[in-house]
Amino acid sequence: MAHHQETTVKVIPPDTAKIKKLWMTALILLVITVFEFIVAFTIPHEYKDLRVWIFIGMTIVKAAYIVGEFMHLRYETKFLLWSILIPTIFIVWMLVAFIYEGSAISEARF
Amino acid sequence: MANTSTTTISWDGGSSPMNASYGKLMMWFFLLSDAFTFSALLITYGLVRSAHPAFDGLINEFTFSQTYWPVPEKVFEAVPFLHGWELPLVFVGIMTFILIMSSVTMVLAVEAGHRMDRAAVEKWMLWTIVGGLTFLGCQAWEWSHFIHGTDAGGLLKDGTKFFGANLSLNQYGPPDFAAFFFFITGFHGFHVFSGVLLNFLVYYNTVTGVYERRGHYEMVEKVGLYWHFVDLVWVFVFTFFYLV
């Protein structure tokens, strides 16, 4: 593309190894998603707990790849990493509390 | 920006804690708070769902009913141009694919920005915007289908036939199901929409050479963080709303 350049900006040539790694991450995410589809349509609905645990496990793996590689958190300082990760404890706590509450409501109603 | 805090730790300012610029750090903490919001929505979905009876018959004999929570793959099985086909979760799968691909193009734009490669940043930002708009189009279709309903419709509690869904009535199951669909995918879709706007802003500034004159492409990185977060949320929505 032709641009009028105000300053002579030095373009650094692409690091193919780095770019390859990014595409690999995308491939892993797609493969996991396909795997989730296979699980959804091969493992019967009677094995509900098994299905749900596989889905949750796969989701956490995908989240780790997105946050770690795409959002680059793995390569930031440890202090930043933990500043982001530790507060998510509150999410875990909310999950436990609400699921406990939900099953209590279910028992009271039915 | 000055990313050299390791050597000069002083009280005079000028050094960045955590080796990240102010803007990047604030984007991280904003995303953390946004993660709390989305978690609250999804976890509340879990609470309300577990407070309703689940469908416990054979999956092939599933029908829409107000008495139990619907099986998501039986609700979301329509694909554009393939009217009448039962293709469970196929369209959601396509949407997931689109969003992951636009995440890759975004991270490639960030990478090009580090190298001061203006042409490459332009190219990848444009692809990211295309991906975002395609996703929004898909979501618009899905909402439209969900609101208008299936050919057969479903029975409400009082026995009347109803097609589609709104915030108080829905053919697929308990009204809460539709309400959560609108709130969760709507809130996520709004994030995608604002992400596309931000991406366009960054694209515009790249084309006009703002970042080149500034000497760095950090804005691409910051907006990139936001865009990846939108993808991250979709991963969770996909699992907990569509798969489980």
Side-chain angles (χ1 to χ4, degrees):
Chain A
M1 268 178 257
H3 290 295
H4 58 287
Q5 297 211 311
E6 294 88 354
T7 48
T8 44
V9 176
K10 217 170 152 51
V11 176
I12 305 161
D15 178 356
T16 39
K18 206 171 148 193
I19 290 174
K20 210 172 153 194
K21 201 174 172 196
L22 296 175
W23 282 107
M24 266 312 283
T25 310
L27 189 70
I28 291 167
L29 291 175
L30 290 174
V31 167
I32 294 174
T33 308
V34 169
F35 177 72
E36 282 183 317
F37 266 91
I38 294 169
V39 169
F41 295 111
T42 52
I43 298 184
H45 280 257
E46 286 76 56
Y47 300 97
K48 183 145 183 63
D49 289 349
L50 177 67
R51 286 166 57 98
V52 169
W53 282 113
I54 291 175
F55 290 146
I56 290 174
M58 294 294 106
T59 304
I60 291 170
V61 173
K62 280 204 279 188
Y65 271 106
I66 291 172
V67 177
E69 296 292 335
F70 283 176
M71 296 171 92
H72 215 255
L73 192 60
R74 260 184 67 193
Y75 309 99
E76 305 287 353
T77 54
K78 282 282 168 293
F79 197 73
L80 176 55
L81 180 89
W82 290 115
S83 305
I84 300 300
L85 289 188
I86 289 174
T88 55
I89 282 178
F90 291 114
I91 296 174
V92 176
W93 172 71
M94 190 187 180
L95 185 68
V96 172
F98 271 48
I99 294 303
Y100 182 79
E101 193 68 21
S103 49
I105 294 173
S106 178
E107 249 164 64
R109 284 168 84 183
F110 306 106
Chain B
M1 286 286 110
N3 279 335
T4 52
S5 70
T6 40
T7 46
T8 52
I9 293 168
S10 72
W11 295 95
D12 306 330
S15 62
S16 311
M18 305 185 199
N19 270 337
S21 71
Y22 177 78
K24 240 171 98 176
L25 208 56
M26 290 307 114
M27 180 53 92
W28 268 112
F29 288 124
F30 162 69
L31 293 181
L32 183 63
S33 73
D34 224 12
F36 287 146
T37 314
F38 274 109
S39 310
L41 280 171
L42 279 172
I43 292 172
T44 311
Y45 170 82
L47 170 100
V48 174
R49 184 179 180 168
S50 61
H52 279 83
F55 173 72
D56 55 2
L58 286 169
I59 193 73
N60 295 329
E61 290 159 12
F62 175 84
T63 48
F64 296 133
S65 163
Q66 301 290 317
T67 50
Y68 49 77
W69 202 259
V71 177
E73 65 178 64
K74 292 288 173 187
V75 179
F76 305 102
E77 56 172 23
V79 175
F81 311 115
L82 296 173
H83 187 84
W85 292 39
E86 278 185 29
L87 300 163
L89 300 181
V90 166
F91 193 50
V92 194
I94 295 169
M95 287 165 74
T96 307
F97 175 75
I98 292 167
L99 213 54
I100 290 177
M101 286 320 283
S102 86
S103 230
V104 191
T105 55
M106 184 78 226
V107 82
L108 288 169
V110 174
E111 192 272 341
H114 284 309
R115 300 187 285 104
M116 299 299 292
D117 190 340
R118 188 209 253 188
V121 175
E122 284 173 13
K123 178 178 81 178
W124 292 120
M125 281 313 294
L126 211 52
W127 277 115
T128 310
I129 293 167
V130 168
L133 288 175
T134 315
F135 182 86
L136 283 175
C138 292
Q139 206 162 36
W141 186 89
E142 198 178 55
W143 269 53
S144 163
H145 178 82
F146 190 82
I147 291 168
H148 291 114
T150 59
D151 290 340
L155 294 178
L156 294 180
K157 264 221 165 82
D158 60 5
T160 51
K161 197 153 214 186
F162 190 74
F163 296 90
N166 55 41
L167 280 174
S168 50
L169 300 171
N170 106 59
Q171 69 160 79
Y172 310 101
D176 283 346
F177 176 74
F180 273 110
F181 173 78
F182 291 129
F183 270 92
I184 293 174
T185 65
F187 200 56
H188 175 264
F190 183 65
H191 274 73
V192 178
F193 174 72
S194 33
V196 170
L197 289 188
L198 291 172
N199 283 345
F200 183 77
L201 219 64
V202 165
Y203 172 70
Y204 181 83
N205 282 344
T206 308
V207 172
T208 52
V210 171
Y211 302 137
E212 198 161 277
R213 266 173 271 133
R214 196 177 285 173
H216 61 80
Y217 282 80
E218 207 194 70
M219 272 314 283
V220 184
E221 221 173 305
K222 280 183 262 187
V223 171
L225 282 178
Y226 181 78
W227 191 252
H228 295 313
F229 178 75
V230 168
D231 184 28
L232 177 70
V233 170
W234 182 254
V235 163
F236 282 89
V237 172
F238 176 66
T239 301
F240 294 109
F241 204 91
Y242 292 95
L243 281 181
V244 171

